[in-house]
Amino acid sequence: LIARISDGGMRDALSLLDRCISVSSLVTVDTVSSSAGLMGREHIYTLIDAIASSDTARCLKILDDLHKGSCDTERLVSELIDRFRSFLIVKTVKNPENLLVCTSEELTEIKAIADRFTKDSVLYALNILTTAADAMGRTQNRRIEAEMALIRLCRPENDDSSEALLVRIAALEKEIENLKRSGV
């Protein structure tokens, strides 16, 4: 987790490790998460579940709860980008374990969650989230950028871009495939 957060930067990794050690002599995932301003893994996966379910109200409530808990909104969007990158790798690469830094249990969890998305919806999510991350660097109210991104992710029908259309078509194709499998 420290390596992933530091993105290969040795000084950043050592700095984060120092912060963790100042909090606790036992460095755990929770220690690293809180020292780096990350929310717990359960929060990120709950948020992704709400996105997969197109539950805008739930997404905004989770974001509000995290915001009230002093979660760094930029870090949240960065974590979402990282997770959706993992989903994309799982969906496009034969041996994703060679490209992802995670345990085998995490890889199983990532694969299960990735199955809830189409490749087009993952690409759309990455586009929306990276755009939001870029915009956060130019605005004072990062929360609004995160909210707009979550709304776009949950409601691609409100977006007239070609990427949103691909997501909507892929969702329809998946629904038709599910109906065919159930004999309809």
Side-chain angles (χ1 to χ4, degrees), residues 58-69 143 147:
R58 191 166 143 225
C59 280
L60 295 178
K61 174 71 172 122
I62 293 166
L63 180 63
D64 184 57
D65 291 344
L66 292 171
H67 184 74
K68 287 176 183 172
R143 181 179 177 176
E147 288 171 338

Side-chain angles (χ1 to χ4, degrees), residues 47-89:
L47 185 55
I48 291 169
D49 178 64
I51 292 167
S53 301
S54 298
D55 191 341
T56 308
R58 191 166 143 225
C59 280
L60 295 178
K61 174 71 172 122
I62 293 166
L63 180 63
D64 184 57
D65 291 344
L66 292 171
H67 184 74
K68 287 176 183 172
S70 299
C71 175
D72 181 351
T73 309
E74 280 185 279
R75 181 66 77 178
L76 169 66
V77 171
S78 177
E79 280 289 303
L80 285 171
I81 290 169
D82 185 55
R83 294 294 185 250
F84 277 94
R85 174 193 172 267
S86 297
F87 301 157
L88 183 63
I89 289 172

Side-chain angles (χ1 to χ4, degrees), residues 113-127:
I113 296 169
D115 283 342
R116 297 192 60 199
F117 295 94
T118 64
K119 186 177 69 166
D120 288 325
S121 66
V122 171
L123 289 167
Y124 178 69
L126 284 167
N127 185 28

Side-chain angles (χ1 to χ4, degrees), residues 96-109:
E97 60 276 358
N98 296 335
L99 296 171
L100 297 175
V101 179
C102 62
T103 65
S104 59
E105 293 84 22
E106 284 178 307
L107 183 59
T108 302
E109 187 176 24

Side-chain angles (χ1 to χ4, degrees), residues 1-6 13 15-17 19-21 23-24 26-45 66 69-73 75-76 79 82-83 106:
L1 181 58
I2 290 173
R4 193 173 3 164
I5 292 169
S6 303
S15 174
L16 179 54
L17 183 59
R19 274 186 280 162
C20 294
I21 292 171
V23 172
S24 170
L26 179 64
V27 178
T28 64
V29 171
D30 291 335
T31 309
V32 175
S33 294
S34 67
S35 296
L38 301 178
M39 66 307 227
R41 280 183 35 182
E42 68 279 350
H43 287 65
I44 194 80
Y45 286 123
L66 292 171
S70 299
C71 175
D72 181 351
T73 309
R75 181 66 77 178
L76 169 66
E79 280 289 303
D82 185 55
R83 294 294 185 250
E106 284 178 307

Side-chain angles (χ1 to χ4, degrees), residues 88-99 107 111:
L88 183 63
I89 289 172
V90 163
K91 292 191 145 315
T92 58
V93 175
K94 188 172 185 156
N95 297 312
E97 60 276 358
N98 296 335
L99 296 171
L107 183 59
K111 286 179 179 180

